Amino acid sequence: MAYELVTIGTSLGGLSALKTLLRSLPREFPAALAIVQHRHRESDQAMSAFLQQFTVLPVHEVEDKECIQPGHVYFAPADYHLLVEYGYFSLSVDEPVSYARPSIDVLLESAADAYHEQVIGVILTGANHDGVQGLSTLKARGGTAIVQDPDTAESAVLPTAAIAAVNVDWVLPLGQIAPRLIHLCAPAGA
Amino acid sequence: MAGTSGFKEQSELSRTSPVSILKPNDVDIHLLVEGLYHRYGYDFRNYAKASLKRRIHTFLKGENLASVAELQAQMLRDRACAERLLLGLTVNTTAMFRDPSFYQAFRQQVVPLLRTYPFFRIWHAGCSTGQEVYSMAILLQEEGLYPRCRIYATDANEKVLHTAKQGIYPAKQMQEYTQLYLQAGGRRTFSEYYTAHYSNVILRPFLRERIVFGEHNLVTDGSFNEFNVIICRNVLIYFNQTLQNQVHELFYNSLCKFGILGLGKQETIRFTKYETAYDELAKAEKLYRRRS
Ligand SMILES: C[S@@+](CC[C@H](N)C(=O)[O-])C[C@H]1O[C@@H](n2cnc3c(N)ncnc32)[C@H](O)[C@@H]1O
């Protein structure tokens, strides 16, 4: 079954890792991408605008109940959790999870709940453990788990913890993650 | 929406058979929410599913229950458990001058319109513990408009309303609130608006003078007045699209001609039926104006 959604979680060092990853995805990339990057509460839309410079895919800062469209990149807005429903996003201001809002766990768990084996979870560089629980749930629900090789991560804490806790499908250097996603998401028979 | 499952969204319905078969986990949640409604009248049937589910599971852990089915049985027998669940299901996160740019836009775009009225009514729907309402009172006071207004502040949760009425908040939050007040364009010294009392602060009584607090449930209660401004921030995110449309109908019918609607920073009228009923007054700040 084809993948419909790629969920990505990262914190420290995430911006430059995302730049590398997103710039390697082609215009016809067939799945949607949803991203949680921990950041400062006050930061505004600057980040999605910043990343838009590096990708041909349209980048959005998610608004509540926004539709999930293939080939679009969706960012969790500052100070909101990003949750996935089937076909669209919801937001919440529930208490922080693992000290984080947005929380990677919340994104990955809700995505697993809505998309089961049609979702890929990607954990990139990060300095805490938010995302480990989510990746574990995602994997348990039949999703595919990819973790950045800690040796290539600006902060190895998160990827190392994810690899220790989850039976991940792929541990890849940053540069190989986009090619892997392209390969995994390619329509059958293409 | 009689006959359809409260949890099934339009998009899902059209993909599945008319019976709308649910996954086992979702059936449990569905039954719990139906039970809560039919046994106690608390209506969460059209709340957004993903966040509701998360909160139910968090609640389970706190109650040391093993499954949603167990919670359902317990909750049906034990009213106290249902009351705790009710509190566990609503989220009351708020702050004074949360999103300062909203208040700046309100000063710049809405205040000039309000000046043209000898008297105006504002409704804060889902006001939680009241910080948002007092922020508005302070803003209007500084603009010289406070004596001309009446603010109706409502929430479905009587517990948070009780706190709201008191206007007493932990002193340790004042540093953050002061910061936000200044970013929001505050013109005075924030500490003028409260007196310290041990580890709390008490807001000055005059700020409460023109506010009426009351219980109102956006799902089950109707329109109760006509307003010049309705503020409803970070409440609709907890509702699915069916319920959002229903509440937008209530808001539309409760606003006067050219009345102002203010939503949360990441909320939008765009994905609702009322998209074309409003003009954007301040796009990024989600301030809308009723067309006619
Ligand atoms: C996250 S708080 C938002 C508080 C405030 N408006 C703000 O933005 O800072 C959400 C509030 O909506 C209230 N709420 C939830 N469901 C409601 C309903 N059906 N009717 C009225 N209020 C509701 C909750 O009790 C809670 O206080």
Side-chain angles (χ1 to χ4, degrees):
Chain A
M1 182 145 13
Y3 293 105
E4 295 213 14
L5 181 65
V6 178
T7 51
I8 303 175
T10 178
S11 63
L12 188 65
L15 212 51
S16 105
L18 286 170
K19 220 164 81 180
T20 305
L21 194 158
L22 290 178
R23 71 163 24 129
S24 314
L25 295 176
R27 195 178 298 279
E28 52 296 337
F29 187 74
L33 296 109
I35 303 174
V36 164
Q37 140 106 73
H38 293 169
R39 51 171 158 166
H40 207 60
R41 178 132 74 104
E42 281 85 41
S43 62
D44 48 13
Q45 295 220 320
M47 192 161 77
S48 45
F50 173 77
L51 283 169
Q52 183 66 80
Q53 302 174 269
F54 303 98
T55 172
V56 291
L57 303 172
V59 179
H60 310 238
E61 176 124 338
V62 175
E63 289 185 319
D64 183 53
K65 305 297 179 287
E66 190 162 348
C67 279
I68 300 176
Q69 301 179 68
H72 288 235
V73 179
Y74 297 94
F75 257 95
D79 214 17
Y80 286 86
H81 290 303
L82 175 59
L83 297 106
V84 175
E85 308 264 8
Y86 193 82
Y88 60 94
F89 293 105
S90 266
L91 300 173
S92 98
V93 291
D94 284 27
E95 40 304 311
V97 173
S98 311
Y99 305 101
R101 186 172 64 208
S103 145
I104 303 168
D105 283 342
V106 172
L107 171 66
L108 267 54
E109 283 172 14
S110 61
D113 220 40
Y115 282 89
H116 302 265
E117 68 287 347
Q118 290 173 286
V119 62
I120 300 175
V122 181
I123 293 292
L124 302 176
T125 168
N128 57 39
H129 286 203
D130 175 38
V132 175
Q133 184 59 49
L135 193 69
S136 160
T137 305
L138 182 143
K139 180 71 192 160
R141 296 282 169 84
T144 297
I146 300 178
V147 177
Q148 179 180 0
D149 181 347
D151 288 343
T152 71
E154 192 172 320
S155 172
V157 176
L158 175 58
T160 306
I163 293 165
V166 185
N167 181 19
V168 300
D169 298 280
W170 310 90
V171 176
L172 298 169
L174 182 59
Q176 285 178 28
I177 294 179
R180 175 59 54 192
L181 290 176
I182 294 166
H183 184 78
L184 286 171
C185 296
Chain B
M1 295 298 293
T4 60
S5 139
F7 278 135
K8 280 274 150 178
E9 302 287 341
Q10 220 81 62
S11 58
E12 266 176 272
L13 273 177
S14 53
R15 298 181 88 255
T16 51
S17 63
V19 202
S20 73
I21 299 295
L22 298 170
K23 308 216 173 62
N25 290 336
D26 292 347
V27 171
D28 283 351
I29 301 272
H30 178 77
L31 292 176
L32 177 78
V33 170
E34 285 291 330
L36 200 55
Y37 177 63
H38 288 289
R39 178 75 181 78
Y40 301 104
Y42 303 140
D43 194 353
F44 287 89
R45 293 175 301 167
N46 277 318
Y47 276 53
K49 186 168 94 180
S51 59
L52 190 64
K53 225 169 171 177
R54 268 202 86 82
R55 284 195 303 287
I56 290 171
H57 283 285
T58 307
F59 183 78
L60 278 184
K61 278 181 215 148
E63 296 272 313
N64 267 321
L65 293 167
S67 68
V68 177
E70 222 171 278
L71 169 60
Q72 190 199 334
Q74 173 78 16
M75 165 285 282
L76 290 176
R77 272 198 309 270
D78 175 6
R79 176 177 281 274
C81 173
E83 302 277 342
R84 288 196 300 279
L85 176 60
L86 180 67
L87 293 181
L89 291 187
T90 55
V91 177
N92 305 117
T93 311
T94 188
M96 287 191 88
F97 297 101
R98 191 171 206 269
D99 304 321
S101 52
F102 175 83
Y103 291 89
Q104 274 189 353
F106 194 94
R107 275 186 204 265
Q108 284 153 20
Q109 310 278 337
V110 182
V111 163
L113 303 174
L114 295 179
R115 282 196 201 291
T116 65
Y117 298 110
F119 171 79
F120 54 89
R121 290 190 200 92
I122 300 183
W123 177 18
H124 281 269
C127 68
S128 188
T129 40
Q131 284 88 332
E132 181 188 271
V133 191
Y134 292 116
S135 305
M136 182 61 73
I138 288 172
L139 186 158
L140 293 172
Q141 167 73 15
E142 293 185 359
E143 297 293 338
L145 289 174
Y146 195 47
R148 282 199 237 165
C149 81
R150 169 79 58 207
I151 302 179
Y152 297 78
T154 63
D155 202 284
N157 178 336
E158 57 177 330
K159 222 171 165 158
V160 294
L161 268 180
H162 181 72
T163 308
K165 276 180 211 165
Q166 290 188 315
I168 300 177
Y169 302 111
K172 62 173 191 297
Q173 283 170 354
M174 289 307 127
Q175 202 181 346
E176 185 199 350
Y177 289 178
T178 304
Q179 206 62 38
L180 292 169
Y181 164 78
L182 293 171
Q183 288 168 19
R187 299 201 177 138
R188 308 182 68 106
T189 311
F190 190 56
S191 55
E192 285 176 29
Y193 295 107
Y194 59 80
T195 50
H197 190 72
Y198 299 102
S199 59
N200 288 325
V201 304
I202 305 173
L203 293 185
R204 297 268 306 280
F206 82 88
L207 289 174
R208 224 170 316 157
E209 249 160 42
R210 309 206 61 80
I211 306 174
V212 184
F213 290 97
E215 217 173 307
H216 181 279
N217 191 316
L218 290 167
V219 183
T220 46
D221 296 328
S223 185
F224 61 96
N225 213 325
E226 192 178 83
F227 300 95
N228 305 86
V229 179
I230 297 178
I231 307 284
C232 184
R233 311 195 74 215
N234 299 320
V235 180
L236 296 175
I237 47 176
Y238 291 102
F239 299 170
N240 72 14
Q241 273 169 306
T242 307
L243 188 50
Q244 287 194 358
N245 279 320
Q246 181 192 317
V247 175
H248 273 300
E249 183 176 344
L250 171 66
F251 288 163
Y252 185 81
N253 290 330
S254 305
L255 271 178
C256 64
K257 262 189 190 178
F258 305 118
I260 305 297
L261 176 66
L263 303 178
K265 191 155 188 74
Q266 297 299 132
E267 291 171 325
T268 175
I269 194 93
R270 254 201 304 154
F271 311 128
T272 77
K273 282 187 191 157
Y274 285 81
E275 177 173 8
T276 53
Y278 292 89
D279 290 317
E280 283 169 343
L281 200 60
K283 188 167 192 269
E285 301 306 331
K286 307 302 158 63
L287 282 164
Y288 302 93
R289 189 178 193 191
R290 206 183 114 150
R291 278 214 172 134
S292 57

